[in-house]
Amino acid sequence: MRARSLLAAALGALALACAGPAVAAPPPVPRADPAVSATPRFETFAQAYAYSLAAPQAYPAGVNDFSCRPSSAHPRPVVLVHGTAADSLSSFGRLAPLLKDAGYCVFALDYGVVLPGAAKALAAVPDSAQELSAFVDKVLDATGTSNVDLVGYSQGGGVMPRWYLKYLGGQEKVDQLIGISPSNHGTSLSDLVTLLRGIGVIAPASALTGAQALQDQTPCSEVNAALDAGGDIRPDVRYTTIVSDQDAVVTPHTNQFLHDNAGRPKTLCGNRDPEREPTVVATPGPDGIVPPASGPLTNILLQDVCPSDKSGHLRSPYSPTVDALVLNALDPHHATPPPCTTVLPAGLLG
């Protein structure tokens, strides 16, 4: 328990340090199944994470109104899936209320809890995928719909929902998966993971703390090998990845892109042939709108849409450009030009 408590404190301190200056956190807000209307909106990860530290049971504004009924304009509920060592509030403090304002029924779960506090999504990826499966079923039952759209960040846009789609029947219940800075194919964490795994630290540390998700998201882990086998995408599901070349957490950033399985040989971890399995990145129009893909997969590089936006991993879900790309992916027939602002690079702090 002491190891877990120390890890929880370390992860919280690291997240705030990486995110930059934070605002003072308000008193805790009780968790509730209906939308937590008292939760404010946030414009930065630092502000949202500070709030989560004080109120680890709070959800982002606009989510989990189980009386919401999808409209004909937006017929599928949107389920938000947060990232590692974070929660739904810190991951979607900006995007969740934007989606609600746009007319979507928006839902979010906190999953993978092995430590107290705001650092969630640390349990084994297959276990967390079971939680996502149960939550999606709850949303479908409440809204009377047959499919949802998943919008995920980091682990929540990568390996975890992909496990749900591939192994837990999720492909029958999900129309599309939109991943913001998704942890597909593992991360070297700017070569830190490579070093720690080389000296035999990651596996025992994950076992000691219960944070198996850290091990599961290393390159060629058992989870990644299982997901790579047979190709990246599932039939009848649409995929969008939104990737920043400034990401210093899920590295190299090219690991975040997915590959279309059509006509491809079986893919095995550690045995990728770049000539036979190319990464196809969408080309935005002059207005920044990414045209709908002819197939099931759209890979987007943020800097192709807005070269001056150097948001890295922590800032990506709070980028106005990224959030606009999510809205356009959800409703491509009513896409609008995404805004383009200047965001300076900050490495791991970004």
Side-chain angles (χ1 to χ4, degrees):
M1 287 301 295
R2 177 173 173 77
R4 294 190 179 193
S5 299
L6 289 173
L7 179 61
L11 288 171
L14 177 62
L16 282 180
C18 289
V23 296
V29 174
R31 187 180 196 135
D33 229 9
V36 183
S37 58
T39 306
R41 300 173 183 230
F42 297 99
E43 291 299 322
T44 69
F45 178 85
Q47 292 171 345
Y49 202 89
Y51 193 102
S52 288
L53 289 175
Q57 302 300 312
Y59 284 106
V63 306
N64 293 350
D65 177 3
F66 282 88
S67 66
C68 184
R69 295 295 176 266
S71 65
S72 58
H74 303 306
R76 292 181 301 276
V78 175
V79 174
L80 302 176
V81 193
H82 64 78
T84 307
D87 60 10
S88 59
L89 175 55
S90 59
S91 297
F92 301 111
R94 184 179 195 275
L95 181 57
L98 285 178
L99 292 170
K100 184 69 172 179
D101 290 347
Y104 290 92
C105 293
V106 189
F107 300 88
L109 77 159
D110 286 342
Y111 67 91
V113 178
V114 299
L115 302 168
K120 302 178 175 72
L122 292 170
V125 164
D127 293 343
S128 292
Q130 291 279 3
E131 294 186 59
L132 175 60
S133 177
F135 189 78
V136 168
D137 287 348
K138 180 180 179 180
V139 169
L140 293 176
D141 289 344
T143 58
T145 52
S146 57
N147 293 93
V148 301
D149 289 330
L150 301 180
V151 176
Y153 165 57
S154 194
Q155 179 191 162
V159 287
M160 195 276 270
R162 286 176 56 220
W163 190 277
Y164 163 60
L165 294 174
K166 184 172 184 177
Y167 293 111
L168 301 178
Q171 70 182 51
E172 305 297 330
K173 302 172 184 179
V174 173
D175 185 79
Q176 66 175 319
L177 167 62
I178 301 170
I180 302 169
S181 303
S183 62
N184 295 312
H185 309 130
T187 174
S188 69
L189 192 56
S190 296
D191 291 328
L192 178 61
V193 166
T194 305
L195 171 64
L196 294 178
R197 189 160 64 174
I199 61 178
V201 169
I202 289 182
S206 296
L208 180 65
T209 61
Q212 180 62 33
L214 304 180
Q215 168 80 358
D216 289 346
Q217 292 177 90
T218 58
C220 294
S221 66
E222 290 184 6
V223 165
N224 273 308
L227 288 172
D228 282 355
D232 288 350
I233 64 177
R234 309 307 303 160
D236 302 321
V237 178
R238 293 180 293 141
Y239 295 80
T240 299
T241 68
I242 303 172
V243 177
S244 171
D245 63 14
Q246 299 297 306
D247 198 317
V249 175
V250 179
T251 56
H253 74 274
T254 51
N255 273 14
Q256 300 176 35
F257 293 124
L258 294 173
H259 301 84
D260 191 338
N261 305 338
R264 307 275 177 216
K266 185 174 182 179
T267 304
L268 296 176
C269 184
N271 190 31
R272 292 183 173 276
D273 183 342
E275 293 185 359
R276 301 183 71 185
E277 196 171 10
T279 299
V280 178
V281 180
T283 301
D287 56 2
I289 294 177
V290 177
S294 58
L297 172 62
T298 303
N299 290 311
I300 301 173
L301 183 66
L302 170 60
Q303 285 73 31
D304 285 346
V305 177
C306 180
S308 62
D309 188 339
K310 305 297 184 182
S311 296
H313 195 79
L314 294 181
R315 289 186 292 182
S316 59
Y318 287 85
S319 160
T321 306
V322 169
D323 289 349
L325 290 171
V326 170
L327 286 164
N328 286 349
L330 288 169
D331 189 4
H333 298 297
H334 298 92
T336 59
C340 182
T341 58
T342 298
V343 179
L344 298 178
L348 279 170
L349 304 181

